[in-house]
Amino acid sequence: MNNRMKTVFSALAENEAFARSAAAAFVMPLDPTVEELTEIKTAVSEAVSNSVIHGYSGWEDRSQAMVELECEINGNGRVTIIVSDHGRGIANVEKAMQPLFSTVESEERSGMGFTVMESFMDKLQVKSEEGKGTAVTMTKYLDLVSAL
Ligand SMILES: Nc1ncnc2c1ncn2[C@@H]1O[C@H](COP(=O)(O)OP(=O)(O)OP(=O)(O)O)[C@@H](O)[C@H]1O
Ligand SMILES: [Mg+2]
């Protein structure tokens, strides 16, 4: 079974929970383990919070700053999740993806978002252009044996 969904929402912190739950609900037919589900939810949260906090930092009208979540599943248990924004973009993606790197100096930011996404998902690809936006593509292969 192949299945696909796309949802677009304002870059507001409260929509992180919405995005996380939407992705989790969408993959449910694949019968993920509790661990797989937690990993997907956490990775989606990190990607969405990056769009909200960094992508649209300083944006005037938040309701018009949109974040898109796209999920695709296929019968082999492959889950592909794309989180994208049309915000400020990342100047140096390679640097941004390094553990502990953050452009925000605050106790709340540890610079571990990309590292978490990378370790919880099987593949992570980040495409970004300054002034245009960022797209994070994450792929995870679910263990379908448990669904049999
Ligand atoms: N969507 C985005 N738009 C613009 N910049 C981004 C985006 N996502 C990440 N970045 C940049 O990449 C850096 C690293 O992101 P990462 O998620 O690893 O750490 P963080 O968000 O700074 O801290 P943490 O995720 O641990 O709270 C950010 O500090 C920011 O500069
Ligand atoms: Mg982050």
Side-chain angles (χ1 to χ4, degrees), residues 106-147:
S106 114
E107 277 178 17
E108 260 180 85
R109 304 271 79 79
S110 56
M112 290 302 286
F114 282 131
T115 307
V116 166
M117 290 179 237
E118 208 156 27
S119 62
F120 281 177
M121 305 295 276
D122 293 313
K123 236 196 273 177
L124 171 69
Q125 185 195 51
V126 182
K127 279 192 182 158
S128 190
E129 201 177 322
E130 267 190 298
K132 291 249 168 81
T134 302
V136 173
T137 304
M138 305 179 275
T139 309
K140 191 173 182 67
Y141 297 92
L142 301 189
D143 179 12
L144 287 192
V145 177
S146 60

Side-chain angles (χ1 to χ4, degrees), residues 24-44:
F26 188 71
V27 301
M28 280 317 270
L30 291 178
D31 207 6
T33 63
V34 173
E35 196 184 355
E36 287 168 337
L37 208 51
T38 304
E39 289 171 344
I40 289 170
K41 285 163 84 172
T42 307
V44 168

Side-chain angles (χ1 to χ4, degrees), residues 51 54-56 59 66 85-89 129-134:
S51 289
H54 307 296
Y56 293 111
W59 238 249
M66 307 308 286
D85 64 64
H86 297 287
R88 55 179 67 246
E129 201 177 322
E130 267 190 298
K132 291 249 168 81
T134 302

Side-chain angles (χ1 to χ4, degrees), residues 7 13 18:
T7 177
F18 164 71

